[in-house]
Amino acid sequence: MDTSPPSSAPSSAPSSKEKKYDRQLRLWGANGQNRLEQAHIALFGATAAGCEVLKNLILPSIGRFTVIDDKLVEEADLGINFFLDQDSVGKPRAERTAALLGELNPDVVGGFRSDNLENMLSHTPELLDPRTTEFTHLLVMSPVPTPILLQLPTGIPTFFVNSLGFVTTLRIYSPTHTIIETHPDSLVDLRLFNPWPELSALVLEKTRNLDVPESEGGMSDHQHGHVPYVLLLLKYLEDWKQLHDGHLPGTYSEKTQFKSMVMDKMRTNVPGASEENYEEAIGAVMKNLRNAEISSETKEVLDNPKCLNITSESDDFWIIARAVKDFTDSNNGFLPLSGATPDMKAESHGYVALQNIYRVKAHSDAAAVEEIVRDYMNRLQHPHRDQIDSDVIQLFCRHANFLRCLNYRSIADEYSNSNDEHNKAVLAALENWDAEDSLIHNYVALRGYQEFYTSHGRAPGDTSSEDCDADYDEIKRFVCQYLESVGYTKGVGVRCEKMLKEVVRAGGGELHVTASLAGGIVAQEVIKIITQQYVPVNNTVVFDGIGSRTQTFEL
Amino acid sequence: MAIIDTPQWKYLNRILSRKGPFADDDYDNEMQKTFLEHTKVFGAGGLGCEILKNLALSGFKDIHVIDMDTIDVSNLNRQFLFRASDVGKPKATVAASFVMSRVKGITITPYYGAIQDKDQDYYMQFKIIICGLDSVEARRWINATLVDMVDINRPESLKPLIDGGTEGFKGQSRVILPTLSSCYECSLDMLTPQTAVPICTLATIPRQPAHCVEWASILEWPRIFKDKKLDNDDPGHVQWIYEQALKRAQEFNISGVTYSLTQGVIKNIIPAIASTNAIIAASCCNEALKIATGANPFLNNYMMYTGDESVYTHTFEHEKKDGCPVCGDLASDYMVNPEWTLQEFIDRLKEKPEVQIKKPTMVTERRKLYYQGPPQLNEQTRPNLVKKMKDLVDNGEEIAITDPGLPFSLRLNVIFS
Ligand SMILES: [Zn+2]
């Protein structure tokens, strides 16, 4: 063997791009990164929060960004926005923020327009039409008059952000958002109550003589202490069935009995007086002894009309979902196996043999699903019928029990004051047991802010202190109207009044720390939507910088 | 007139000038603004870029920063004050000069070194300490130091410590009032225990790709290269480990050894992104702003942020731990099997996440139990390792433990089970 460590740059070493983005590739992989690099984000309103969101998206390398803003930089902007400097004062804010943000990452293409949302919607609507636009995602910074919110396009994912004093809210809208890679804590699915023939055969082979003492020709202590716990459980479940007319231990007390049955079989005349694999088996009883069940989230996907009625225009996601549904229906209700196994005390070959049984089964399940997918695609003359990738189908099957489909209410529906579902959601939050401390009041106060701004063209409290009281009365009037419109009749409560005072106190101004925090929350959500990984909020998150907490609502 | 009354600080000034509905009754806006300007603050750690920016744009004028690291290319995906041309330079100085050139009228004093280089006199000059450190050791040290500095006759000796940390889409921020509220040490048991893989698994029966990497770095490297130290940052060294791990994995039919995994295992890499750092750093600085000005009540005392599945925060008061070795007064009770050998006792102690020791030296009032060094004392006390606990200590006797990983001396009352 060569005994000097190589000193030249090795061939399998990561590329310079992989080195730079290493810490995030570990979260969303090359797939997620590719999607990020395809995105073109439009920011409407170069506010402190807006620029902080873009900062957190430019650093991990979105493809492009465009800042749209029609203001000139004021001295006061420098006190809250890090992406403006002394030289920027008096110049267009879109241009200056785009320039200073652009310095963050040479891999990202930046641009700007001295324009605003209202003007673009009326004069250059093609720039925001989902069929013609270059933008893949819209970041819209408050304040925006309500009539403009009602005109936001519904074909593009949109993030509407409020950052005011110590309070911030984010409203997400996206066309139907489906997720395969939700990144659950574990993909393990052991099927202990439902072993398939190959697994049962392995159990027989590896647990023969398990309970025979070494002196009588049984396993040595070393072998006995290294039988993987999954095999132990499957073996003792068989024994249990023999003793219980073929029934499995389903109830809590049966599982407790089963546990002591396993414990009794453990060899105790060994160092430490216990065997780690048996300890692992006992520890897994309560969690893993159960029928393989389909999660409610996956059920929702499989029962979705988009899954039941696939056409040549369906996304690949729905075709694969339909194939998984068909597979499951003809497989006694079992989803394709994930194939993941947990680590456990075992000898190398014993562990690898077990792991392979699960992998091979997962592979064959995925192959069966793939056959159904290809069959559907051919029958539907689906345009992707020659492109669909086995890897995607395998990924889908691996995550079959963790799929998500999120349907978002449109922002127009939320602000139209006539959507029953929205009204019901607000009312429920206001009448919930935790209503007294709920952050729904932050939201309601910001609805007042929204209406105040729409009517007066300025923020409440954006004035000398003497007039604050008048603004407070006016915003409270708007809130009363709003509460009535959702059907809440108990008037403005104490916490809501305090939030209104807090809103008037800010006078429409941002605090940098709140803006920066909003920038982090929003960017996380944008990344989740773009990469189609992890689970984004549906549809509103409120952060309260006074009590340092968040709450989510579907509004 | 305070500097904050200039046009640049219009929005901050407005909020601080108006008493909020959640603020204390005795809130005095003019006094608070002046106070903010004279609040000397201290920041450090992987969240340093965000912390400096946030403090500078929150009206703090006298900011000090310590960082012992130089800039690495893998920092550029989140530490936004650094450019590719800065790689290799000290983080503290580059960050300080960038923020000072962007935000006028503030002073940032950088120090390139470890926080442990500075003594209590140094930390006594600050009003608030903010730490976004990644190392458990450094966080324990600053926590223990600040607790030790508290003198009940001098209220100004109590320095609020704001601590933040992130991992992937998750993070936490907390406010520690040394001696008054739960301290960092009180919550050590919340860390996920680092269960080391037994050497025999690595040596003879690996199951996971990580086992192969650890075999290559812990066992194979020292066997082949003797005294030459493995340098995790040397691409040649990492490549060698990767190749050995791959060979071993093939031998045992284990799949999944990649270069990236190899690096992750030997450098103990924690995923990190700009957005999570922004959330946690901003939360920490928001608390600093509220503490300095009283503009709103500050966090009591812990916020956990989880962003991987929807957004969820858990904000709660973490309780002071009875018998905390740092902020408690008494030695804590510790159950010991009298039949254990001293070595077994030490091994079990090492597994405890709330203790976190590596190379302990142990004494009782009447006996030296075990010394790591100097050599004579080590030699003299080594035979104790195989003696039973019941032959070394009495039931109820106190053991004092020092360890390079412990910023204080840990006292345990032995209770025989
Ligand atoms: Zn403590």
Side-chain angles (χ1 to χ4, degrees), chain B residues 143 181-186 320-321 324-328:
Chain B
N143 177 67
S181 66
S182 143
C183 79
Y184 184 71
E185 200 73 26
C186 290
K320 255 184 101 145
K321 190 167 125 186
C324 167
V326 170
C327 71

Side-chain angles (χ1 to χ4, degrees), chain A residues 52 55 344 404 528 545 548, chain B residues 50 207 287 290 307 309:
Chain A
E52 290 293 317
K55 176 199 80 195
M344 63 194 88
R404 287 295 178 98
K528 289 192 265 178
S548 309
Chain B
E50 288 282 347
R207 303 179 297 270
E287 300 311 327
K290 292 189 290 181
E309 182 165 349

